[in-house]
Amino acid sequence: MALITDLFVQGGQMLIVLLLAPLLTGFVRATKARMMRRRGPPLVQPYRDLVRLMRKEVVLADSASWLFRVIPYLIFAATWVAASLVPTFRTGLLFSWSADLIAIAALLGSARFFLALAGLDVGTSFGGIGSSREVMIASLAEPAMIMIVFTLALLAGSTQLSTIAELMVAPGVGLRVSLGLALIALIMVALAENARIPVDNPATHLELTMVHEAMVLEYSGRHLALIELSTFLKLLLYVSLIACIFAPWGVAEQGATSAALAVGIVAYVGKLAGGGLLLAVFETSIAKMRVFRVPEFLGAALMLGLLATLLLFVSRSL
Amino acid sequence: MTVVILVCAACWLVLAGTAVAIGRSPAGSTIIYGGSLLLAVVSLVVGTIHLLGHAAPAAVTLPLGLPWIGAHFRLDALSAFFIVVVDLGAVTASLFAIGYGRHEQAPLRVLPFYPAFLAGMNVVVLADDAFSFLVAWEFMSLSSWALVLAHHQVPDNIRAGYVYIVMASFGTLALLLAFGLLAGPDGGYAFADIRASHPSAAVAALALCLALLGAGSKAGLVPLHVWLPLAHPAAPSHVSALMSGVMTKVAVYGFVRIVFDLLGEPAWWWSMVVLTLAGLTCVLGVLYALMQHDLKRLLAYHTVENIGIIFIGLGLGLAFKAYGMAWAAALALTAALLHVFNHSLFKSLLFFGAGAVLTATGERDMEHLGGLIHRMPQTAFTFLIGCAAISALPPLNGFVSEWLTFQAILVSPQLPSWGLKFLVPAVGALLALSATLAAACFVKAFGVTFLGRARTPAAMAAQETDRFSLAAMFLLAALCLAAGILPGLFIDALAGVVQTLAGERMPVQSGVEWLSIVPIAQSRSSYNGLLVFLFMVISGVLAAFAIHRLASDRLRRAPAWDCGYPDASPATQYTASSFAQPIRRVFGSAVFRAREQVTMPPPGDTGPARLHVVLHDPVWEGLYLPLAAGISFTAERLNGLQFLTIRQFLSLVFAALVILLLVLALWP
Amino acid sequence: MSRLTFDVAHMLAGSLVLVSFLQLYQDRLYALLNIYAVHALVLALSVAWQAYAQDAPHLYVTAAIALVFKAIIIPIALHRIIVRLGIHREIEKVVGVGPAMLIGMGLVALAMVVMLRVTAEADPLAREDLAFALSVVLLGLLMMVTRRNAVSQVVGFMSLENGLVLAATGAKGMPLVVEISVAFSILIAFIVIGIFLFRIRERFDTVDLQVLDSYRGERR
C-alpha cells in the first residue's frame, strides 16, 4: 500500500513539474510586463507557444546531422529526470536514492553538453558564439554548484536531496552563515544556468547579447518545442530546489496523509509564485552584464561556495 | 597463474623477434597484431580469474638476472587488477591495430617494438623485487621510445623522443634511488624483504618524494608532465592509446606499490604533498588541453588531468590511512582505482577515434577537419560516447568514479589536521573546476572535428574506417556504458585490492537493492546508474512517442537560417581557437599569459589579416628552461677541465690524495 | 543567551564579510559608495544586536554613530564631492576582480587559522566572530592596496575600521568603543578634507581662501 502511494506520488511529481513549468515562465513574463507598465502576454501563452510549435513543420539545415535531431529528446529526458527528483510537495520520493544532488547537477550538465554540441552542429558562427559562451559560463557555474552541494551535504551528512530537505524542515538547523552564503551563491548560479538577466537575456535575438538563444537558433517546430519545454523545466527545477532547501515550510513528510499532501501542493504553488515574482522584480531592476563580467560574477559565486564549505570544514573541530 | 603471464611475456618477445623478419609484408602485420591480441586475451583472462576469485598471491622465482637475487614475480590482488587494466588496453589496441596497421608507412619501425612494449608492461606489474621491476620499467620505456621515434621524418617527433628519453631516464634514476634507500645497507631488494623492514620516518619521506618523482614523471604529474604531450601524439595511434591509457596506469601502479604497500604506515603530511600536486595537475592539465587544436595533443594533456584526479583519490586514501580511518581510505582508494580502469577505457577509445580520423583524412589538426559525422558516422558515435564518458556525464562510467571521489572529499572534515582542513576543500573546488572544463574541452573536440561543415577537401573526402578498428571502438564504448550502469560489479571486483591496501573494503555492493552503489551506508548517499539510465531512456521514449502522436511530423531541408546572414564558406564557422577564446580570456590570460596578436596588411593590400594566439607554457619556461640553462652553464664551466696543462692535472691528483688523507685523519 | 541570539549575531558578522567581498567586486564608484553604506548599516545592526544580547546600552550609541555618520552622512558627502570635483567614476584596479577574490579567500582562511589558534579556550561562536572581524580588517586593507582611486582607498580604510568596531563589540568589555569610533570618524573626516585640499592646491596652486575667492563666478 505504501509502495503504491509512493509510486503515485512520484508519478504525480513528474506530471506536476511538466504541467507547471510553462505556467511559471508565463507568470514571470506577465509580471515583468506589468512592472514595465505593459499589458503583457496572458499567463497561458507558453502553452500556446508549445502547441503552435508542435504543429509546425521542422526546417532542418542542410548541414545538420542525425545528432541534431536526437539532441532535443536527450536534453528533455535529462532535464525531466532531474526535475522529477527534486522534492516539491513531499520529501522521500520513491527513487530519490537513485540520484543525489551531485547526480542532479551532472544530469543538468549533460543536458548542457548536448545543447552546446547542437550549437556547433550546423556549422554557423552564431551557434559557435552561443556554445563557446555557454561553456565559459558553465565552467564557473558548475563548480559553484558543486561547492553549494558540498556545503549542504556537510550540514546534512548526506548528498541525498531528501535527507537535506528533511534536515531543513527540522527545527534544529537555525540560521547559519554557511547556509546564507550558500543561498546567495545558489541564486547567482540559478540566474546563470537559466540564462536570466544579468547573465543572459532570455528575450533577445541579438547576437551580442545572446548565449542560450544562439545555440538553439537553428531549431524549429517540434524540436524547438521540446527545447523550450526543457528550458521551462530547468527554471522550475532551480526555483523548486531553492524552495525545497531554503523555504521548506509546508512540505509533507514521507507517509503523510492526503490532507498534508494537498497542503504541500498548495504551499509548493505558492512558493513557485513567490519565486517567480522575486525573479521578475530582480530582472526588471537590473541590467544585463557584459559578457566578460559574467566570469567575475560567477567567480564570486564560486568563492562564496568555497567560503561556505571552508567554514563548515573548519567549524567541525570546534 | 603467474607463470602463464610470464610465458605470454616471453611469447611477446618472440613475436617481437619474428616481426623483424616478417614485418614487411601486410600479412605479417596482421600476424603480429593478431598474435599479440591472443596473448593479451590469455593474460586478461588469467588476471580476471585471479582478481574475481580472490585467489591467494602466487609467487614465482626465476634464476634470471643477478645471481644472488634471482627474479621474483608475484601475482597478488593489486597486480591482478593492473594486469586486467594493461591487458584490456592491449586487447583493444591490438584489435584496432589489425585494421590500422595496414596504413603504416614504416612497419619495421613499429612492429618489432609493439609486442616488446606489451611484454614490458606486463612484467613490471608482476615484478616482486626491485631489480626485475626496474629492468622491466626501462624495457617498457625504451620500447615505447622506439615507437615514439617511428615516424622520425617529422621534426617534432625527434624533439619529442629526446625529451621523452631524458625524462624517462630521470624517472628511472629516481626510482632506483628510492629502491636503494628502501633496500637499505643489507641490499634486500626483494619486495618481501622491503615490506618486512620498517624504514625510519626520514627514509620513508625521502622514498615517497623519489617515488613521486619517478612514478609521477611517467604518469604525468605536473611539473614532470612535459614529455607527455610531445611523445604521446608522436607515436602511432594504437601506441598513443597504450601510452596514455595504460602506461600511465603502470606508473600509478608503481606509486601505489611503493607508497601503499612497501612503505608501511604513512605520515599525515604525505597526503598534503600528493594532494597539492594532484590538484595542480588536474587544473593545469585541462587548461592546457583547452588551448590545443591538435586532437592528439589535446587528448594527451587530458590524460594529465585524469592522472591528477587519480592522485587526488590516492592522496585522500593516504590521509585517511594515516589517521586510521580505514573505511574512508577504502572509499578513496576505490574511487582512484575505479578511475584508473575507467580512464584506460575511454582514453583508449578517444585515441582510437583520433587514429581513425588521422587515417581517413591525414589531419590531426581540428581546424582542418569538420563535418566528419556525415562521412564517418560510426566513428563519430563511439567518439561521442567517449567524450560523454570522459566529461563525467551520467549514466556513463566517468561519472561514477568522480562521484566516489566527491564522496571521499565529503568525508574528510573528520580528518583532524588543520592543513588538510584547508587543503581538501580547495582541492575539491579544483576538481569540480577541472571536471567542468573537461566537458568544455570535449564539446570543442567533438564539435569542431565531427560537427559543422568540412573545412578542407581532406575532411570532405573522409571514409569510414575498417571493421577491426570499429570493433575495438564499439567494444570500449559498450564497456564504458556497462561500467556506468552496473558500477557495483566493478566496485566489488576491486574489493580484494582495496582490502590489501587500506585494511578494509567498501560495503558489499552486490547485495544492495536495485544494483545501486552505496559508498558508506544506505542512509548517507547512494547512486543507481541503471535506474538513471532507464529513467532517461523511458523519458526520451515517452517524449518521442508523445511528439509522434501529437505533433506534426513534417520535415524539410533548407539552407541554414544563420539569422538571415548565411555564409557559404565553411571558414566562417567556429574553429577550435575561437571556441576556446572566452575560456582562454578568463583563465588563459593569467595562467598562460595568452595574448592574441593581429597582423593587418597595409591599406590597399589584398592579403589576409592573420590572428595569432601566443601562449607561454609556465612550467616549461619557469622550470625547465632555467634548469637547462643552468646545466649548460655548469657544463661550460666544467669543460675547462679538459684543457689543463700536465702540471695542473698532476696537482688535481695530488689535491685529491691530500684531501682523502685529511678525511681519514679527522674522522672520529 | 539563546541559540537564536547567537545565530543572528553570527549571521550579521558573516554578512559583514560578504559585503566586504562585494566591495572588492565593484568597479564603479557610486556602486562602491552604496555598498559601503550597506556595510555600515550591517555594522550598525550588528552592534545594536550585541547591545541587546549583552545588555550593554552604551553600544546603542556606537550603533547610532555608525548608522548616522558612516551609513548616511559620509556616503552622501562623498557622493557630492565626487560630482563636484569630477573625480574619475571608474575604479582602476591594480589586481583584477578574480585574483582579488582569490586573495580575499586566502586572507579569510588566514584570519580563521590565526584566530582559531590564538583563542583556543574561548567560547566557540565568539571565536568565529573574531575571525570574521579580522577577515573584514584584512579585506579592507586588501581594498586599499589593490585600488588606485583615492576614494576607494578611503572606503577601504573605513571598512577596515568597521571590522575593528565589530571585533571590539564582539569581545565583551571594551568601554572605550564609543570614544574610539568617534575619534576614527574624525580622522576620516580629516583625510577626506585633506583630499580636497590637495585637489584645490592642484587646481589653483594655492589653498589661500582669499585668493580662491577671486575665482568665484558671481561678483559681490
Side-chain angles (χ1 to χ4, degrees):
Chain A
M1 188 55 222
L3 180 66
I4 300 202
T5 322
D6 280 344
L7 210 59
F8 197 62
V9 166
Q10 174 80 66
Q13 154 112 355
M14 290 177 78
L15 209 56
I16 284 183
V17 296
L18 201 56
L19 291 176
L20 281 181
L23 188 61
L24 176 66
T25 305
F27 179 69
V28 172
R29 286 182 192 163
T31 318
K32 274 170 78 170
R34 286 289 159 137
M35 293 193 69
M36 292 193 249
R37 298 182 57 127
R38 292 192 278 122
R39 287 274 289 281
L43 275 180
V44 297
Q45 186 60 34
Y47 294 101
R48 290 188 187 152
D49 286 338
L50 288 176
V51 170
R52 173 177 54 92
L53 281 172
M54 290 215 291
R55 289 210 192 111
K56 286 190 169 228
E57 170 187 58
V58 165
V59 177
L60 207 57
D62 287 325
S63 47
S65 61
W66 59 267
L67 192 60
F68 194 74
R69 298 170 66 170
V70 169
I71 278 177
Y73 298 94
L74 286 173
I75 294 176
F76 178 71
T79 317
W80 195 23
V81 171
S84 314
L85 292 168
V86 176
T88 52
F89 56 93
R90 199 195 91 160
T91 63
L93 294 168
L94 183 61
F95 292 115
S96 62
W97 44 264
S98 67
D100 60 352
L101 203 46
I102 300 180
I104 291 176
L107 276 171
L108 292 173
S110 55
R112 185 179 38 235
F113 180 85
F114 285 112
L115 191 60
L117 282 181
L120 286 174
D121 188 62
V122 180
T124 62
S125 40
F126 278 100
I129 292 181
S131 298
S132 63
R133 287 180 181 175
E134 176 74 14
V135 297
M136 173 192 75
I137 293 175
S139 70
L140 286 166
E142 210 169 288
M145 185 72 198
I146 294 190
M147 284 292 115
I148 297 167
V149 171
F150 276 6
T151 311
L152 295 171
L154 286 173
L155 275 174
S158 156
T159 47
Q160 292 288 4
L161 199 45
S162 296
T163 319
I164 295 175
E166 275 160 24
L167 174 79
M168 295 295 166
V169 173
V173 169
L175 297 168
R176 302 199 59 153
V177 180
S178 297
L179 276 183
L181 294 175
L183 173 62
I184 295 179
L186 186 55
I187 292 176
M188 290 165 93
V189 168
L191 287 172
E193 292 260 357
N194 288 297
R196 312 307 295 189
I197 293 177
V199 174
D200 181 17
N201 193 340
T204 185
H205 289 277
L206 298 173
E207 144 212 343
L208 282 178
T209 54
M210 58 181 170
V211 177
H212 183 263
E213 293 296 316
M215 288 189 288
V216 302
L217 195 64
E218 299 290 334
Y219 274 113
S220 52
R222 54 187 186 270
H223 297 155
L224 187 57
L226 269 179
I227 290 189
E228 294 272 304
L229 187 54
S230 310
T231 314
F232 301 155
L233 265 176
K234 198 166 167 185
L235 181 62
L236 185 84
L237 190 158
Y238 271 98
V239 175
S240 308
L241 191 64
I242 295 177
C244 147
I245 297 174
F246 293 105
W249 311 290
V251 178
E253 302 273 320
Q254 195 165 9
T257 61
S258 15
L261 284 181
V263 167
I265 293 181
V266 168
Y268 176 62
V269 174
K271 287 178 211 169
L272 282 184
L277 186 66
L278 285 172
L279 179 62
V281 168
F282 184 72
E283 281 202 291
T284 324
S285 52
I286 200 169
K288 180 174 132 41
M289 291 188 282
R290 60 185 177 89
V291 167
F292 285 107
R293 188 85 167 127
V294 175
E296 295 173 359
F297 180 70
L298 288 171
L302 177 58
M303 287 300 138
L304 285 176
L306 186 55
L307 188 57
T309 311
L310 197 62
L311 281 175
L312 281 177
F313 258 79
V314 164
S315 64
R316 278 299 167 88
S317 67
L318 293 177
Chain B
M1 293 275 211
T2 326
V3 180
V4 177
I5 304 184
L6 286 173
V7 165
C8 288
C11 292
W12 266 314
L13 290 174
V14 168
L15 263 184
T18 56
V20 177
I22 65 171
R24 210 157 273 165
S25 64
S29 154
T30 316
I31 292 176
I32 299 292
Y33 288 124
S36 305
L37 174 64
L38 286 171
L39 292 170
V41 168
V42 169
S43 298
L44 177 64
V45 168
V46 168
T48 319
I49 292 176
H50 189 104
L51 184 66
L52 293 180
H54 300 282
V60 154
T61 309
L62 295 179
L64 303 169
L66 297 175
W68 63 94
I69 298 179
H72 304 253
F73 297 103
R74 187 163 165 263
L75 184 65
D76 64 356
L78 182 64
S79 305
F81 171 68
F82 276 93
I83 288 275
V84 168
V85 169
V86 168
D87 286 315
L88 190 55
V91 164
T92 47
S94 307
L95 183 58
F96 180 80
I98 295 180
Y100 179 81
R102 289 187 201 138
H103 307 279
E104 183 58 61
Q105 305 286 43
L108 276 182
R109 293 184 74 103
V110 174
L111 284 175
F113 300 107
Y114 178 79
F117 183 40
L118 293 180
M121 286 197 287
N122 276 281
V123 175
V124 169
V125 175
L126 282 180
D128 197 39
D129 74 86
F131 187 71
S132 30
F133 184 92
L134 286 170
V135 166
W137 184 275
E138 265 303 275
F139 196 68
M140 176 178 80
S141 304
L142 285 174
S143 46
S144 51
W145 175 71
L147 286 166
V148 164
L149 283 178
H151 301 146
H152 62 110
Q153 299 93 343
V154 182
D156 280 343
N157 290 0
I158 299 206
R159 178 162 172 262
Y162 175 66
V163 174
Y164 180 30
I165 198 77
V166 168
M167 294 299 296
S169 312
F170 169 73
T172 313
L173 174 66
L175 281 178
L176 186 67
L177 288 175
F179 281 123
L181 268 179
L182 287 175
D186 308 320
Y189 288 111
F191 283 178
D193 294 335
I194 297 180
R195 236 173 256 135
S197 78
H198 294 284
S200 67
V203 169
L206 202 52
L208 172 81
C209 295
L210 288 169
L212 263 180
L213 284 177
S217 73
K218 187 65 111 209
L221 281 180
V222 163
L224 302 162
H225 68 286
V226 285
W227 63 275
L228 222 146
L230 294 173
H232 285 196
S237 304
H238 55 296
V239 176
S240 303
L242 278 180
M243 286 175 78
S244 247
V246 174
M247 193 171 73
T248 48
K249 309 303 176 301
V250 174
V252 170
Y253 162 79
F255 180 78
V256 171
R257 178 64 80 186
I258 296 178
V259 174
F260 279 88
D261 198 12
L262 298 179
L263 280 182
E265 280 309 308
W268 66 271
W269 59 268
W270 292 1
S271 54
M272 286 188 67
V273 175
V274 176
L275 277 173
T276 319
L277 280 178
L280 272 177
T281 308
C282 244
V283 173
L284 274 180
V286 74
L287 282 176
Y288 276 120
L290 272 164
M291 307 291 136
Q292 302 301 319
H293 51 87
D294 178 332
L295 192 54
K296 281 175 125 185
R297 188 158 294 177
L298 185 150
L299 292 174
Y301 272 119
H302 238 279
T303 306
V304 172
E305 182 226 347
N306 280 288
I307 292 291
I309 298 179
I310 295 173
F311 272 86
I312 288 180
L314 291 177
L316 283 172
L318 265 181
F320 290 128
K321 196 173 169 193
Y323 284 107
M325 297 162 64
W327 54 275
L331 173 59
L333 282 172
T334 312
L337 292 176
L338 192 61
H339 201 75
V340 163
F341 180 70
N342 288 340
H343 181 244
S344 70
L345 288 180
F346 41 69
K347 194 39 72 76
S348 306
L349 174 56
L350 289 169
F351 264 107
F352 292 163
V357 166
L358 183 59
T359 320
T361 61
E363 286 283 355
R364 251 163 56 186
D365 192 343
M366 285 190 275
E367 314 208 322
H368 297 161
L369 297 170
L372 291 178
I373 193 170
H374 303 281
R375 323 277 334 158
M376 307 169 68
Q378 290 158 311
T379 310
F381 179 70
T382 49
F383 199 85
L384 180 63
I385 304 264
C387 288
I390 203 169
S391 309
L393 303 180
L396 294 170
N397 56 350
F399 177 68
V400 177
S401 45
E402 197 177 286
W403 186 79
L404 284 174
T405 316
F406 280 137
Q407 295 291 336
I409 291 179
L410 283 172
V411 178
S412 36
Q414 303 187 25
L415 290 167
S417 150
W418 277 101
L420 283 172
K421 272 195 203 300
F422 283 100
L423 187 57
V424 175
V427 166
L430 287 176
L431 180 61
L433 187 63
S434 66
T436 328
L437 286 172
C441 189
F442 279 97
V443 168
K444 175 178 98 164
F446 187 76
V448 173
T449 312
F450 285 94
L451 300 178
R453 296 175 280 166
R455 293 180 180 84
T456 55
M460 275 191 270
Q463 299 282 326
E464 187 62 86
T465 50
D466 58 275
R467 296 166 303 163
F468 292 103
S469 312
L470 285 175
M473 291 196 278
F474 271 103
L475 176 63
L476 283 171
L479 275 174
C480 283
L481 188 62
I485 295 181
L486 304 168
L489 295 177
F490 294 86
I491 293 179
D492 275 340
L494 283 173
V497 187
V498 171
Q499 181 88 36
T500 51
L501 294 177
E504 251 188 57
R505 51 163 294 169
M506 272 177 66
V508 178
Q509 306 294 330
S510 47
V512 180
E513 57 186 7
W514 287 91
L515 299 171
S516 301
I517 50 171
V518 170
I520 302 156
Q522 191 88 354
S523 56
R524 288 191 61 162
S525 359
S526 58
Y527 167 71
N528 193 318
L530 182 62
L531 265 184
V532 169
F533 178 66
L534 283 177
F535 253 145
M536 283 181 72
V537 166
I538 292 176
S539 311
V541 165
L542 267 178
F545 184 67
I547 293 283
H548 187 71
R549 293 297 299 277
L550 300 172
S552 145
D553 59 354
R554 286 173 299 161
L555 188 143
R556 173 166 64 95
R557 287 269 180 180
W561 158 238
D562 211 3
C563 250
Y565 294 99
D567 201 316
S569 163
T572 56
Q573 58 183 334
Y574 258 51
T575 61
S577 311
S578 40
F579 188 85
Q581 189 261 351
I583 294 187
R584 189 167 59 230
R585 188 164 151 173
V586 172
F587 296 101
S589 50
V591 177
F592 301 115
R593 285 184 285 145
R595 300 285 176 266
E596 287 159 4
Q597 295 166 347
V598 182
T599 43
M600 296 286 281
D605 192 338
T606 52
R610 296 208 180 272
L611 183 76
H612 293 275
V613 175
V614 177
L615 294 170
H616 298 266
D617 186 341
V619 174
W620 187 257
E621 294 181 11
L623 182 62
Y624 287 89
L625 285 183
L627 204 60
I631 292 177
S632 286
F633 178 77
T634 323
E636 292 265 336
R637 288 279 165 271
L638 287 176
N639 199 27
L641 282 176
Q642 301 265 15
F643 303 107
L644 304 174
T645 66
I646 294 186
R647 190 191 60 84
Q648 282 166 325
F649 278 126
L650 283 175
S651 44
L652 270 181
V653 174
F654 181 62
L657 185 60
V658 168
I659 289 176
L660 284 173
L661 287 173
L662 268 176
V663 167
L664 203 57
L666 296 175
W667 193 267
Chain C
M1 260 182 280
S2 71
R3 176 88 205 180
L4 185 64
T5 320
F6 267 135
D7 278 346
V8 172
H10 214 46
M11 186 67 97
L12 287 169
S15 316
L16 206 61
V17 175
L18 180 64
V19 178
S20 298
F21 268 111
L22 269 180
Q23 277 180 344
L24 275 176
Y25 175 77
Q26 299 307 320
D27 60 356
R28 281 178 299 178
L29 208 48
Y30 286 157
L32 181 65
L33 286 181
N34 293 341
I35 300 285
Y36 173 69
V38 172
H39 199 263
L41 180 65
V42 173
L43 176 73
L45 281 173
S46 177
V47 174
W49 185 262
Q50 288 289 346
Y52 160 69
Q54 295 173 25
D55 206 19
H58 63 90
L59 287 180
Y60 282 119
V61 181
T62 312
I65 290 179
L67 186 64
V68 170
F69 271 113
K70 298 185 200 166
I72 300 177
I73 294 187
I74 289 186
I76 291 181
L78 279 176
H79 199 104
R80 292 242 184 96
I81 287 160
I82 291 170
V83 172
R84 198 76 80 67
L85 292 186
I87 296 179
H88 243 255
R89 308 278 178 84
E90 203 177 281
I91 301 178
E92 299 97 338
K93 297 175 189 145
V94 176
V95 177
V97 170
M101 288 280 192
L102 274 174
I103 297 174
M105 280 290 315
L107 288 175
V108 172
L110 179 65
M112 280 200 283
V113 170
V114 168
M115 268 309 179
L116 292 171
R117 200 175 282 193
V118 163
T119 61
E121 57 283 325
D123 164 42
L125 279 163
R127 292 165 73 192
E128 278 198 32
D129 283 342
L130 276 176
F132 283 148
L134 184 58
S135 314
V136 173
V137 169
L138 287 174
L139 286 173
L141 270 173
L142 181 67
M143 213 179 134
M144 287 175 72
V145 165
T146 58
R147 303 280 179 267
R148 286 211 183 103
N149 193 305
V151 176
S152 53
Q153 291 185 336
V154 169
V155 169
F157 185 79
M158 290 195 284
S159 59
L160 184 159
E161 190 225 322
N162 286 353
L164 287 175
V165 172
L166 182 70
T169 55
K172 304 163 210 172
M174 275 198 67
L176 291 173
V177 167
V178 177
E179 288 82 353
I180 294 175
S181 312
V182 173
F184 266 122
S185 298
I186 296 178
L187 181 62
I188 295 298
F190 275 124
I191 291 179
V192 173
I193 293 174
I195 297 180
F196 296 148
L197 293 179
F198 261 113
R199 275 297 289 221
I200 293 172
R201 225 253 316 254
E202 212 183 291
R203 223 18 183 348
F204 303 114
D205 287 333
T206 174
V207 290
D208 186 354
L209 295 172
Q210 198 72 23
V211 179
L212 287 179
D213 208 277
S214 64
Y215 288 105
R216 278 177 69 175
E218 65 267 23
R219 288 273 157 228
R220 250 180 261 141

